[in-house]
Amino acid sequence: MPSTMPSTDLDNLTASTKAAAQPVELSLEERLTLVETAMTVRLDEANAAYEVNTAHIPTTPVDLDDLLTLPLTPTLQPPTPHSTPVAALLQRAHHRLLTDGWCAGSFKDANGALCLFGAIRYEAHRNPRLEMSAISVLMDTIRSQFGDRFESVPAFNDSFSAGDARIPLRILGQAADLADTRSV
């Protein structure tokens, strides 16, 4: 059967059909919108299927007064103490800094955080001999890693910025291990 359309109209129709068949390049925003729409439909369908599949299961309301509540951040439990007095003191000081906080530039800050020397003094319970032995072991640990760069524990403590307690805490933990190794 012969075509009733003139050949120019047929050529234009063929050209426009070919142009419509060409894939259109979508922007990233358009593609994300299409994916989001498809996912929303799938999630709505899954939600409806879940409601239908579980409608026959009886539920009882939960009395929230019977629930046990815990703090959002659990408190740190102290480790098993070292057997020697100086090692145990350094370990307690380390734990004190982990729980109460560490500070630089002062013995104790407004929030109750202590410096290295302050934590040792606090945990020594006014025993100057024990305190001085702990400071001596801590200085030995500092010197083993930093040489003679620091003349005292407060100088070492204050050389770190107020928010970075990693190195002072690590050194204090190593000092506790050193004191335990030395049996002091």
Side-chain angles (χ1 to χ4, degrees), residues 20 49 64 78 116 122:
L64 296 179
L116 289 172
Y122 182 85

Side-chain angles (χ1 to χ4, degrees), residues 1-160:
M1 173 175 226
S3 173
T4 58
M5 292 176 109
S7 78
T8 57
D9 289 338
L10 185 60
D11 291 338
N12 288 340
L13 179 63
T14 305
S16 65
T17 306
K18 285 182 182 177
Q22 294 283 334
V24 176
E25 179 100 16
L26 298 176
S27 70
L28 177 62
E29 294 295 322
E30 292 169 331
R31 290 184 304 202
L32 288 174
T33 302
L34 286 174
V35 169
E36 180 184 15
T37 304
M39 289 304 296
T40 301
V41 169
R42 289 179 71 186
L43 288 171
D44 288 343
E45 289 173 354
N47 187 30
Y50 174 79
E51 293 295 327
V52 168
N53 291 338
T54 59
H56 68 283
I57 301 172
T59 58
T60 57
V62 175
D63 185 10
L64 296 179
D65 293 332
D66 293 337
L67 292 178
L68 175 68
T69 58
L70 298 172
L72 293 177
T73 54
T75 58
L76 295 170
Q77 298 300 317
T80 305
H82 285 295
S83 59
T84 62
V86 173
L89 167 62
L90 290 166
Q91 189 177 36
R92 287 192 313 271
H94 184 263
H95 182 71
R96 168 85 41 211
L97 293 178
L98 286 174
T99 56
D100 292 351
W102 170 85
C103 69
S106 65
F107 184 79
K108 186 176 186 177
D109 72 0
N111 297 325
L114 295 165
C115 68
L116 289 172
F117 183 75
I120 291 171
R121 176 164 279 180
Y122 182 85
E123 291 297 330
H125 304 292
R126 297 191 176 132
N127 183 340
R129 176 176 278 173
L130 186 61
E131 179 182 325
M132 293 311 294
S133 296
I135 293 294
S136 175
V137 172
L138 181 57
M139 276 308 297
D140 289 347
T141 306
I142 292 169
R143 285 188 190 108
S144 73
Q145 295 195 22
F146 296 96
D148 290 332
R149 209 167 96 187
F150 302 104
E151 61 190 45
S152 66
V153 171
F156 170 76
N157 185 82
D158 294 347
S159 69
F160 295 94

